[in-house]
Amino acid sequence: MDRRTFMMTGAYLSTAAGSAWPWLAHAAARSNTVAVADSTLTYGAAFAAYALHRQLSVFETGDDIGALWYTTLAPLLCATPTCTPTPTLQSASLIGLTRASDYFVLSQLAKSAGQVIEHSHEPSADSDTQRAHVAFAFTFAPRALRKV
């Protein structure tokens, strides 16, 4: 990626995260936030850089988003039945920039984990599949506060 592309993409994401999608910036500001990025998308690398700048843990979507959820994301977000929350556990957030198909799988898994507040933005249909993406934020209520 050349410097001009990086600067333009960075400006796009900071504008999008801060003003167009305030829910994304709010979720990124939480202390217990994890990010997922697809580096093959046009803005994927810039989104990952944004998350790293915010000092968030960033994970690549990889080939199997379901495996990433079960092996890494769900335990980190305390979104599993066996997770034992600490008394100071705050709500956790998952933010991301992924393909629509990965977003669909993550949203289904997140919703099945319990109380989730969801925000997402899907850009208009674009003939360039490299530019087609979904930006999202899931906020999970602490398991201690969930009804059994």
Side-chain angles (χ1 to χ4, degrees):
M1 177 181 285
D2 66 23
R3 184 173 187 268
R4 176 175 288 241
T5 303
F6 177 78
M7 294 302 289
M8 295 297 288
T9 304
Y12 165 79
L13 279 174
S14 62
T15 301
S19 61
W21 307 328
W23 46 264
L24 184 62
H26 180 69
R30 293 177 176 267
S31 62
N32 193 11
T33 299
V34 177
V36 175
D38 186 338
S39 63
T40 64
L41 297 174
T42 302
Y43 299 113
F47 179 81
Y50 167 78
L52 286 171
H53 177 72
R54 303 286 308 209
Q55 299 179 341
L56 303 177
S57 297
V58 181
F59 299 94
E60 172 65 37
T61 56
D63 293 332
D64 189 351
I65 197 71
L68 177 64
W69 171 263
Y70 285 112
T71 61
T72 307
L73 300 176
L76 282 174
L77 298 167
C78 208
T80 61
T82 58
C83 180
T84 307
T86 62
T88 60
L89 182 68
Q90 299 174 350
S91 59
S93 295
L94 172 65
I95 62 172
L97 185 83
T98 64
R99 296 182 189 285
S101 57
D102 287 339
Y103 164 75
F104 175 77
V105 172
L106 277 177
S107 68
Q108 296 304 305
L109 293 169
K111 289 174 186 174
S112 70
Q115 294 179 359
V116 141
I117 299 168
E118 175 186 6
H119 297 283
S120 65
H121 170 72
E122 297 182 48
S124 59
D126 194 341
S127 60
D128 181 7
T129 58
Q130 284 297 310
R131 295 172 46 121
H133 63 271
V134 178
F136 64 87
F138 298 132
T139 302
F140 299 84
R143 190 160 283 285
L145 299 178
R146 294 183 189 166
K147 294 179 181 178
V148 180

